[in-house]
Amino acid sequence: MKIRRALATAVALAVTTPAALLAVSPAYADTKPVTQTQEKKSKPTIKELETAVAEAKEAYEKAAKAKADALVELRKTLDELGSTHPLAVTAAAAKQAAKDADAAKTAADQAVTDAKAKLADLPEDATPEQKTAAETAVTEAEATAASAATAKAAADAKATEAVTAVGDARIAAARAYGVVDKAADDALAAKIAAEAALAQAVKEAEEEEEGDVCEPENDLTAEVTGLPNKLVAGTTTDFALRVTNGSDQNMDEIIAYTGVFATDKTGIKETGKFFRLQWSTKSSPKWQSADEDDYIDGLGPLKPGSHTDVKLRLTLDKATPAGNGVAFIAADFYNKDGSCGGMTDLNMYEFDVKAAGSKPGKTEDAKPSKAPKPGTGNTGTTPLGSSSGTPAQTGTGGSLAATGSSSATGSIALAGGAAVLLGAAAVFVVRRRKAGSAA
């Protein structure tokens, strides 16, 4: 269901809580989810995109948890590879063996040097046996040194192999973590892309909606009859609402808004505390309480030139303070085929409230005055009308119709009647959207 620009302005004026908007980095705005094919056969619906966002969020949460677990495992593995891991133990033993082999080779080399020195130091008169013994010692020392050199080379190779194995294990652990880390990054990118796609779809839908707005349906009217301009606390009054289709088109579903408020010099009172509004129709003859939003749903379709009547019953609690009251009346329609509907002007009926037990005196039907249209600039600081019959001026130079009432207008203005009106219009818009979605 589309809304017209005037009501959109009313929402902006009456609702102070900003809507939460999804902001997505432009860098990810064009990123497509990993499951999306390059050749898109049909445009996904918002519901499908919402499902995709939920799935992407769940996948990212799982990937993020896996990343956190993998990081813990990586740190544990790296710590063990520096001490208790089997590869670390083997490497430590191999390095110690290489160190011992190096020491043995050094000792063997020294033994060769010493043996050669003794051989060279033999006196000229040394016996053949002494010379043979010294030469044998050199030969044996050289053999031992050669064996030590071979052992050292083998030990060095094993140590290098063991240290390399530890390093490879560190690299493997880091790579394993890198795979999980990349998966988490990919899941995050997919999540952001899904959110961006949903945000774009919602934005396009809103722009499409705003681009096809409806003008007010001036041929749909809502009029109240039989509402006295003076009511007494503790009494019940019956009156009627007639909604008429003065156009040449069918209106599939009619909704009425009836908001009644009590006021005095201190401001607007809790309506539910003092007033009770009931309604009935020909199709629903049993009296029903107006819902919490003051809407009357299901008034049915209206053919061109036809009307529907709603019986209304307003009961004032005995504790209702003397002062003034005001009723805001409007109607709206929407079409089930999705074509535009339209809201009537929001009419305002003012009445005096007399204390319980008093006499109302001479009464007449309350007369409607068109409430200020949203966006005219009235913020509640300017009266909605005047008792003199002169149109009251709005804050931006616009004018409003005279109400013809006595003191009610001033009290309503002091009580923030304009704020009530705009708030009612804003709620009406929300209700219309809900009704349109249900259709």
Side-chain angles (χ1 to χ4, degrees):
M1 179 61 64
K2 314 300 183 183
I3 62 172
R4 54 191 176 96
R5 298 185 188 279
L7 288 181
T9 304
V11 175
L13 290 173
V15 181
T16 59
T17 303
L21 301 177
L22 175 63
V24 180
S25 170
Y28 291 102
D30 296 329
T31 304
K32 293 182 172 55
V34 293
T35 57
Q36 183 178 354
T37 58
Q38 293 297 321
E39 184 178 354
K40 188 166 54 177
K41 295 182 179 180
S42 60
K43 185 176 181 180
T45 64
I46 290 180
K47 184 176 181 180
E48 290 172 338
L49 291 173
E50 289 174 340
T51 300
V53 168
E55 292 175 349
K57 181 180 179 181
E58 181 180 3
Y60 169 67
E61 289 173 349
K62 290 181 179 179
K65 184 179 184 305
K67 176 181 176 180
D69 293 342
L71 181 59
V72 172
E73 187 64 26
L74 173 63
R75 289 172 175 170
K76 177 183 177 182
T77 300
L78 294 179
D79 183 63
E80 290 177 349
L81 284 171
S83 56
T84 61
H85 194 280
L87 290 177
V89 173
T90 299
K95 287 190 289 184
Q96 183 61 47
K99 183 178 179 180
D100 293 342
D102 181 66
K105 179 180 180 300
T106 300
D109 289 341
Q110 184 62 46
V112 171
T113 300
D114 292 344
K116 287 182 178 181
K118 287 182 179 181
L119 176 61
D121 290 341
L122 286 176
E124 293 181 0
D125 58 351
T127 65
E129 291 79 5
Q130 290 176 327
K131 291 180 180 181
T132 299
E135 290 172 351
T136 300
V138 169
T139 301
E140 291 176 351
E142 288 178 339
T144 301
S147 178
T150 301
K152 179 182 182 304
D156 287 343
K158 287 185 178 180
T160 299
E161 182 181 356
V163 170
T164 300
V166 172
D168 289 344
R170 290 177 182 274
I171 293 173
R175 285 177 176 173
Y177 172 75
V179 172
V180 180
D181 182 47
K182 184 178 184 303
D185 288 343
D186 290 343
L188 176 59
K191 173 179 171 290
I192 293 174
E195 291 172 340
L198 174 60
Q200 182 65 25
V202 171
K203 179 181 178 182
E204 290 176 356
E206 291 176 347
E207 289 176 350
E208 180 181 352
E209 182 178 12
E210 292 175 359
D212 186 17
V213 297
C214 292
E215 294 301 322
E217 181 50 68
N218 295 324
D219 291 328
L220 177 66
T221 59
E223 297 179 343
V224 165
T225 57
L227 176 63
N229 63 347
K230 297 177 184 179
L231 298 175
V232 178
T235 63
T236 296
T237 300
D238 289 349
F239 57 107
L241 167 65
R242 170 166 291 188
V243 181
T244 303
N245 178 6
S247 72
D248 57 359
Q249 62 174 312
N250 287 317
M251 298 180 181
D252 291 341
E253 190 61 54
I254 304 297
I255 302 172
Y257 170 76
T258 55
V260 185
F261 301 88
T263 73
D264 62 12
K265 292 182 179 180
T266 63
I268 293 178
K269 301 300 179 183
E270 296 180 46
T271 302
K273 181 177 180 181
F274 298 109
F275 290 171
R276 182 189 179 200
L277 184 64
Q278 297 173 287
W279 63 272
S280 70
T281 62
K282 184 176 181 180
S283 60
S284 300
K286 185 178 179 179
W287 286 106
Q288 303 180 54
S289 296
D291 67 20
E292 60 181 4
D293 292 329
D294 298 322
Y295 282 92
I296 301 173
D297 287 327
L299 298 184
L302 280 181
K303 296 180 179 179
S306 64
H307 65 264
T308 184
D309 292 324
V310 181
K311 294 180 180 179
L312 298 172
R313 174 171 291 174
L314 179 62
T315 300
L316 279 65
D317 189 90
K318 287 184 178 180
T320 304
N324 306 112
V326 60
F328 292 116
I329 305 294
D332 190 17
F333 81 94
Y334 63 89
N335 291 323
K336 294 180 180 180
D337 62 2
S339 61
C340 278
M343 174 179 156
T344 66
D345 289 321
L346 194 59
N347 290 326
M348 181 172 64
Y349 294 80
E350 302 171 36
F351 53 87
D352 292 336
V353 177
K354 304 294 184 181
S358 63
K359 300 295 183 180
K362 184 179 180 180
T363 64
E364 58 184 27
D365 284 357
K367 304 300 181 182
S369 58
K370 290 184 180 180
K373 291 184 178 181
T376 58
N378 194 311
T379 62
T381 59
T382 305
L384 299 181
S386 65
S387 60
S388 64
T390 302
Q393 299 299 315
T394 66
T396 57
S399 62
L400 307 175
T403 65
S405 66
S406 57
S407 61
T409 298
S411 296
I412 294 168
L414 291 173
V420 174
L421 167 63
L422 293 177
V427 174
F428 196 89
V429 171
V430 174
R431 184 55 173 266
R432 284 191 60 201
R433 282 190 163 182
K434 290 181 180 179
S437 299

